[in-house]
Amino acid sequence: MNDVLVLAEHLNGELKDVTFEMLTHARVLADAGGAKVAAVLFGSGVGDLAEKLTAEADEVLVRDHDGFANYNSAVYQPVLADVIRGREPSVVMIGHTAFGVDLAPSLSVALDAPLATDLIDLAVEGTDLVATRQTHGGKVNERVGFGDAAVRLVTVRPAAFAPQAGSRGGSVIALDTDVPQEPAFRRFVEYVEAAAGDVDITKSDVVIAIGRGIKEEENLAMINEFAELLGGVVACSRPVVDAGWLPKDRQVGSSGKTVKPKLYVAIGVSGQFQHVAGMKSAETIVAINKDPKAPIFQAAHFGIVGDLMKVVPALTEKITELRA
Amino acid sequence: MKIVVCVKQVPDTAEADVKLGSDGRGIEMEGLPLQINESDNYALEESLLIKEDRDGEVTVITLGPESADEVLRMSMAKGADEAVRLADPALEGGDAWAVALALAKAIGGMEYDLVLTGCMASDDGMTQVGVTLAEMLGVPHATYVTEMEIGDGSVTVGRELEGGLVERVEMSLPAVVTIQTGINEPRYASIMGIAKAAKREIHTKSAADLCLDAGEAGEAGSRTKLLKLDYPPAGEGAEILDGTPSEASAKLANVLKEKGFA
Ligand SMILES: Cc1cc2nc3c(=O)[nH]c(=O)nc-3n(C[C@H](O)[C@H](O)[C@H](O)COP(=O)(O)OP(=O)(O)OC[C@H]3O[C@@H](n4cnc5c(N)ncnc54)[C@H](O)[C@@H]3O)c2cc1C
């Protein structure tokens, strides 16, 4: 097996967790295949980040250049394609993030290489690599092969692998690959931070989160009453924000907020990984869902399988009784 | 402004007990409601808003079986002008690469300023076709878009990144934009619209019409190979508090009390 290449992702001077998660798993693959782990780092003024990566990778390939000051897939793609052509790694790992999803498919066309996305596992099986990904909202696992391709591209689901701190002491190698000017056809303009709202759901010890299972906006009244009883704030999954029932700052998940309350109650939330990413570290997680196969029951500590329209009022009543 | 919207019909499995087919390569579709993929519905709405705002023409395109005509008709009922279905068993069963190639062959032969897709299909979760299509067409792309403003020969979009941070990007047209949910409020079709759309023609194209040979289409044209589907291994999972809603709630109330919440 040739190298396992991991593309480092960073923003505002910080490497993303998914980079370390990928490096940890890259080590498993490389050991199984007798290969090396190489991290690729593009950025502007990223010397310290390169140093950090040496603990995890055998080689850290760095292209430090002004052209990488802001992320633009139209700049990243041709440079990364050059690096890959030069080194012919067996597999290139990219995070399944807003960054990776914008980049990996175009890289796959440029290199004519197969791409499997959103992996939860990747394993060496004989001389092949086999990917595992999820379909149908986490209810099915799909195993995917790469045919006889020499270079395989994958995007890896954040938090799919537990990161382990390494002590490899790899070497930093400065690349001199050509970095093109930002093309006129796609220009970075600016980053805009999400506006802060009146309630900060990250500050509450108790978070009561609703999902699409709530069905009607008017059912919010019942949830508000329940949340008030427990002294918690009401948060939600993305579809509830999309429907306009709660403001964006109440959304929990990868494109919303990350919360770590003492108690998280998920009501009518199916538990897609984008949602779980924002609440999995809560101390106690309770799920109420009518579908016993809903993935949220894998993230939760306690669950009730049932109709939330019956369970929430019953629970409100029982808690009120206990207090009386 | 000529806009092409790629749409997909998907089964709604959010509340379903999903069963694998006996060949382990697909799921049992019987009894699952079929619908337009969620983010595609937002893409369609965005195209209709642009059309209303500045004179445009909207073509919806799908690759899928005959049942997918329903999604195309509903799109026309809402205001799309033309509908195309890539209708050929040879095109089915492909990975994102094969699907994007068929779409690229079809769209490459049309006049277009903007191609919109949903950002992710809720069934296969690939998040891949839009960008692959853009690269095959040789036009710029942006993903996860929650804001869009058309300029003069250009489009400025807001891409939603992790944590709700928005990255604004300007692109020249033509371009491919993959739309994230929540960008607008999708409309419902009117009864009149539905009645009219029922009579409209849906253009169909075969693999041969797209000049795709057998090795380029469907499973044979795929770069990744589907090996097998499985049920996810049952993890440790939650402790299920059972009984009637009232019994289960009493148990949960006690747990919450023990932990000091109730
Ligand atoms: C790039 C990207 C970023 C995303 N970011 C986020 C994010 O930050 N946060 C987020 O939440 N999502 C996010 N999503 C969306 C995510 O993929 C899911 O679509 C979403 O989390 C689903 O929300 P849900 O669980 O409320 O709805 P569904 O998946 O539709 O689930 C509804 C659940 O309600 C249950 N239910 C229905 N009726 C009842 C009833 N009467 N009683 C009890 N239970 C009932 C059903 O069994 C089902 O499990 C993102 C997606 C993408 C592509």
Side-chain angles (χ1 to χ4, degrees), chain A residues 9 11 16 71 73 77 96-99 101-103 105-106 108-110 112-118 130 133-147 184-194 205-206 212 215 226 229-230 238-239 242-243 248 253-256 262-263 270 274 284 286 288 290-291 293 297-298 300-305 310-311 314-315 318-319 322-323, chain B residues 11 13-20 27 29 38 42 95 97 119-120 122-129 131-133 135-136 139-144 146 156 159-172 180-185 223-243 245-250 252-257 259 261-262:
Chain A
E9 180 174 343
L11 185 69
K16 294 274 181 82
Y71 164 70
S73 65
Q77 193 255 76
H96 192 76
T97 57
F99 161 90
V101 156
D102 205 63
L103 173 67
S106 89
S108 133
V109 179
D112 195 359
L115 166 66
T117 52
D118 192 17
V130 175
R133 55 191 309 283
Q134 293 199 309
T135 66
H136 300 88
K139 289 184 172 176
V140 177
N141 277 13
E142 180 180 70
R143 284 161 51 82
V144 179
F146 299 86
F185 62 75
R186 174 168 166 159
R187 289 193 317 105
F188 170 86
V189 180
E190 60 179 342
Y191 288 122
V192 185
E193 297 282 347
D205 282 345
V206 176
R212 187 161 19 214
K215 298 269 159 67
F226 177 60
L229 187 65
L230 291 179
R238 182 167 189 121
D242 291 342
K248 179 79 182 172
S254 59
S255 59
K262 295 205 168 83
L263 175 66
S270 64
Q274 295 97 341
T284 301
V286 175
I288 300 169
K290 70 176 185 191
D291 175 7
K293 299 262 176 74
F297 289 121
Q298 292 303 318
H301 304 105
F302 298 95
I304 294 183
V305 178
K310 300 208 175 89
V311 174
L315 190 56
K318 296 293 172 198
I319 294 173
L322 272 185
R323 289 213 180 141
Chain B
T13 54
E15 295 173 26
D17 185 12
V18 174
K19 294 269 182 254
L20 301 182
I27 64 163
M29 296 290 281
E38 189 181 12
Y42 286 88
D95 70 351
W97 177 290
C119 66
M120 174 184 93
S122 64
D123 54 352
D124 60 43
M126 300 264 202
T127 331
Q128 201 177 338
V129 168
V131 178
T132 309
L133 169 64
E135 194 67 18
M136 286 173 172
V139 302
H141 71 265
T143 48
Y144 288 171
T146 53
T156 303
R159 303 184 56 228
E160 196 181 64
L161 313 182
E162 283 71 25
L165 180 68
V166 171
E167 174 196 317
R168 297 187 64 231
V169 173
E170 189 189 324
M171 296 187 293
S172 57
Q180 171 62 299
T181 60
I183 186 173
N184 51 40
E185 283 174 56
R223 292 295 195 271
T224 57
K225 307 293 167 198
L226 170 62
L227 301 175
K228 192 171 178 292
L229 302 183
D230 286 306
Y231 296 108
E236 216 170 283
E239 176 183 335
I240 300 294
L241 308 167
D242 55 6
S246 162
E247 288 161 4
S249 296
L252 182 55
N254 280 321
V255 171
L256 294 180
K257 185 171 182 182
K259 293 187 174 282
F261 297 115

Side-chain angles (χ1 to χ4, degrees), chain B residues 181-196:
Chain B
T181 60
I183 186 173
N184 51 40
E185 283 174 56
R187 69 194 65 189
Y188 290 95
S190 67
I191 306 279
M192 268 269 280
I194 292 173
K196 275 195 192 152

